[in-house]
């Protein structure tokens, strides 16, 4: 059994919820999480759902690179990339804070949830402590992964940033909606999405209301406009608004809720479908509950564009360029996808992650090969061949 420190990118909820999920898996397997380090933009508060989960475990927060938005909707690619140069001294100091934290709690290994400062720390120290980097972004580096054909320059910068986060990492695990062949030449292995125990324990049923989750409050403008023209559709929307800290009733059919993990999961279990910017975690959760999703990538957000493309191929739902919910209304009438195989894939998470945690700190090639052989056989039995993915129905 090992002792680990988790380093987590604190922008949005995706990586934080993945850290919670892996914490649950690790602790059930007998491992210990001795501390958490969260990188975020200046003065960004760590969400309460995360701090409440970790309780009195040691926690530090420091400044790290983040996505820059123009008017709150579109990603500014150039400004985002420029941070590495204009704020390098700040990030160097953050790496020093992380180093002191790691020295104090002496973990056997570091588990990095796409946190850039971790790569800088590993480069500074010569990767003395074994590190595992995990996230959907590492799947994009897998040569077997099929991405979108456009925006090659944006994809280059995304992949460059992904490489930076994983500097000094002994392992890179790519979270994937469906099984895909490993790319061992690039040290990338494929694992299922990490879902919290609370999600797996939910009993889903189809209610009457749609659910929306927004990564930025300004994205709500389009939903407000559509709901006013379609009063027959009932909507619940979760957002992080700077002034509306409580429930905000926009109209009889549209209610906004502050981010609350427990309430969000409750609404997800009851909804008829999810409207969301194309964050990996939300899509993975709603697929597990067997509900369709409408995925609207944040403008110029290359990662979300790829997520929406990949998830639609996996049967999650439909990708769209705007919050024209009429598209989703029509799509729900014809959406048919069997999520059984996906749910079976999710159930492999605990065994796979326990293996990777053990292998990170106690490499045993002969044991690794036997595990791989066992898991490969199971996947080949359960999944038809199509470049390692399921054939999905056309919609």
């Amino acid at each position: 059994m090992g002792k680990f420190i988790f380093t987590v990118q604190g922008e949005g909820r995706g990586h934080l919820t993945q850290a919670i999920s892996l914490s649950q898996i690790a602790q059930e397997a007998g491992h210990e999480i001795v501390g958490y380090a969260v990188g975020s933009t200046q003065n960004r508060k760590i969400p309460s759902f995360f701090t409440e989960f970790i309780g009195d475990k040691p926690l530090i927060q420091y400044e790290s690179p983040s996505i820059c938005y123009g008017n709150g909707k579109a990603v500014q690619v150039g400004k985002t990339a420029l941070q590495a140069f204009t704020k390098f001294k700040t990030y160097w100091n953050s790496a020093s804070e992380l180093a002191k934290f790691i020295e104090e709690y002496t973990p056997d290994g570091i588990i990095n949830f796409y946190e850039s400062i971790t790569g800088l720390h590993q480069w500074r120290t010569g990767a003395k402590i074994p590190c595992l980097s995990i996230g959907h972004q590492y799947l994009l580096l897998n040569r077997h992964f099929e991405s979108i054909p456009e925006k090659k320059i944006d994809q280059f910068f995304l992949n460059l940033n992904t490489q930076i986060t994983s500097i000094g990492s002994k392992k890179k695990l790519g979270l994937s909606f469906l099984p895909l062949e490993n790319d061992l030449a690039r040290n990338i292995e494929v694992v299922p999405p990490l879902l919290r125990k609370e999600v797996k324990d939910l009993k889903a049923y189809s209610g009457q209301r749609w659910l929306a989750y927004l990564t930025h409050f300004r994205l709500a403008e389009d939903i407000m406009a559509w709901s006013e023209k379609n009063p027959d559709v009932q909507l619940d929307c979760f957002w992080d608004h700077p002034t509306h800290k409580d429930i905000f009733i926009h109209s009889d059919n549209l209610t906004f809720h502050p981010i609350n993990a427990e309430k969000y999961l409750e609404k997800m279990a009851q909804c008829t479908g999810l409207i969301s910017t194309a964050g990996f975690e939300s899509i993975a959760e709603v697929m597990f509950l067997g509900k369709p999703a409408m995925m609207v990538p944040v403008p110029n957000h290359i990662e979300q564009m790829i997520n929406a493309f990949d998830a639609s191929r996996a049967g999650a739902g439909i990708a769209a360029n705007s919050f024209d919910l009429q598209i989703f209304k029509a799509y729900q009438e014809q959406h048919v996808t069997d999520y059984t195989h996906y749910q079976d894939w999710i159930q492999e998470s605990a065994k796979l992650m326990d293996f990777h945690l053990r292998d990170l700190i106690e490499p045993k090639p002969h044991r690794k090969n036997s595990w791989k052989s066992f898991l490969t056989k199971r996947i080949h039995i359960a999944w038809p061949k199509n470049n390692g993915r399921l054939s999905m129905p056309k919609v």
Side-chain angles (χ1 to χ4, degrees):
M1 305 304 173
K3 298 192 307 178
F4 299 93
I5 277 179
F6 282 12
T7 60
V8 193
Q9 184 203 107
E11 183 176 337
R13 63 183 283 272
H15 299 285
L16 293 167
T17 55
Q18 290 166 14
I20 289 175
S21 174
L22 188 52
S23 295
Q24 294 170 334
I25 291 172
Q27 290 166 358
E28 287 180 5
H31 303 287
E32 182 182 3
I33 316 303
V34 296
Y36 296 84
V38 177
S40 62
T41 55
Q42 189 176 21
N43 299 323
R44 185 181 182 91
K45 186 178 180 180
I46 300 175
S48 59
F49 76 85
F50 186 77
T51 55
E52 289 170 3
F53 170 80
I54 68 173
D56 58 359
K57 290 282 187 180
L59 169 68
I60 62 165
Q61 182 179 10
Y62 46 74
E63 189 167 354
S64 66
S66 62
I67 294 174
C68 297
Y69 296 90
N71 61 357
K73 293 184 178 181
V75 172
Q76 293 184 315
V77 178
K79 188 175 180 179
T80 299
L82 195 61
Q83 286 180 110
F85 302 98
T86 59
K87 304 187 74 172
F88 182 79
K89 185 177 180 181
T90 297
Y91 301 147
W92 186 263
N93 292 336
S94 294
S96 298
E97 291 181 51
L98 178 59
K100 292 177 183 177
F101 187 71
I102 292 172
E103 289 171 5
E104 181 178 358
Y105 293 100
T106 60
D108 300 315
I110 300 168
I111 310 301
N112 175 30
F113 294 85
Y114 205 65
E115 207 290 295
S116 303
I117 300 302
T118 309
L120 183 58
H121 166 268
Q122 291 295 90
W123 176 71
R124 283 183 52 177
T125 62
K128 295 178 181 178
I129 299 176
C131 181
L132 179 155
S133 289
I134 183 168
H136 179 61
Q137 293 86 347
Y138 302 107
L139 185 73
L140 278 52
L141 301 177
N142 187 323
R143 62 187 175 89
H144 304 293
F145 179 79
E146 182 180 347
S147 185
I148 60 176
E150 63 266 27
K151 288 190 172 289
K152 292 299 183 182
I153 294 178
D154 288 15
Q155 291 192 57
F156 168 79
F157 282 113
L158 170 61
N159 291 336
L160 177 61
N161 182 67
T162 300
Q163 294 281 19
I164 291 171
T165 65
S166 62
I167 291 174
S169 289
K170 185 177 179 181
K171 281 175 168 284
K172 287 177 279 189
L173 303 183
L175 299 173
S176 177
F177 294 118
L178 299 177
L180 184 70
E181 186 177 347
N182 294 328
D183 189 348
L184 299 181
R186 299 180 181 179
N187 192 29
I188 300 168
E189 298 189 51
V190 180
V191 294
L194 292 170
L195 301 187
R196 292 165 291 164
K197 185 177 183 297
E198 292 80 1
V199 176
K200 296 178 182 178
D201 290 344
L202 285 173
K203 292 183 179 180
Y205 63 93
S206 183
Q208 301 299 316
R209 299 177 71 88
W210 295 6
L211 177 65
Y213 174 79
L214 305 178
T215 55
H216 199 286
F217 68 92
R218 288 200 179 104
L219 296 170
E221 296 170 1
D222 294 336
I223 291 181
M224 290 177 178
W226 188 87
S227 70
E228 290 168 1
K229 297 177 182 177
N230 296 270
D232 58 311
V233 177
Q234 299 292 312
L235 284 144
D236 286 300
C237 184
F238 283 78
W239 63 356
D240 186 10
H241 198 282
T243 57
H244 293 296
K245 299 297 184 181
D246 298 315
I247 292 177
F248 169 61
I249 300 176
H250 173 73
S251 62
D252 291 341
N253 64 318
L254 176 58
T255 301
F256 287 91
H257 306 266
I259 300 298
N260 179 293
E262 184 177 342
K263 191 171 184 179
Y264 175 73
L265 292 182
E266 177 188 330
K267 295 291 185 183
M268 185 184 292
Q270 300 170 2
C271 73
T272 58
L274 174 71
I275 304 109
S276 176
T277 48
F280 180 83
E281 198 68 14
S282 292
I283 301 168
E285 290 174 348
V286 80
M287 281 181 70
F288 185 78
L289 296 175
K291 299 171 185 284
M294 176 177 175
M295 299 159 284
V296 186
V298 173
N300 292 335
H301 198 309
I302 183 62
E303 180 190 334
Q304 290 201 358
M305 292 173 66
I306 297 171
N307 283 351
F309 170 78
D310 189 37
S312 61
R313 291 177 64 242
I318 188 169
N321 294 323
S322 67
F323 285 98
D324 180 359
L325 303 192
Q326 201 65 33
I327 298 173
F328 192 44
K329 192 174 185 179
Y331 174 76
Q332 289 190 68
E333 297 175 359
Q334 58 177 321
H335 173 82
V336 178
T337 301
D338 181 1
Y339 291 101
T340 304
H341 290 305
Y342 173 75
Q343 292 163 345
D344 290 342
W345 173 230
I346 292 292
Q347 298 306 328
E348 299 286 350
S349 292
K351 288 181 291 187
L352 277 169
M353 293 312 305
D354 180 36
F355 161 69
H356 284 299
L357 291 176
R358 293 170 183 266
D359 188 61
L360 177 69
I361 58 177
E362 297 179 1
K364 295 181 180 179
H366 65 280
R367 188 182 72 178
K368 180 177 180 180
N369 290 339
S370 64
W371 269 82
K372 280 187 179 179
S373 175
F374 169 73
L375 291 169
T376 301
K377 286 178 182 177
R378 289 202 59 180
I379 289 171
H380 284 174
I381 290 172
W383 298 85
K385 292 182 179 179
N386 179 19
N387 193 26
R389 292 185 177 273
L390 279 176
S391 298
M392 291 297 158
K394 295 182 179 179
V395 295

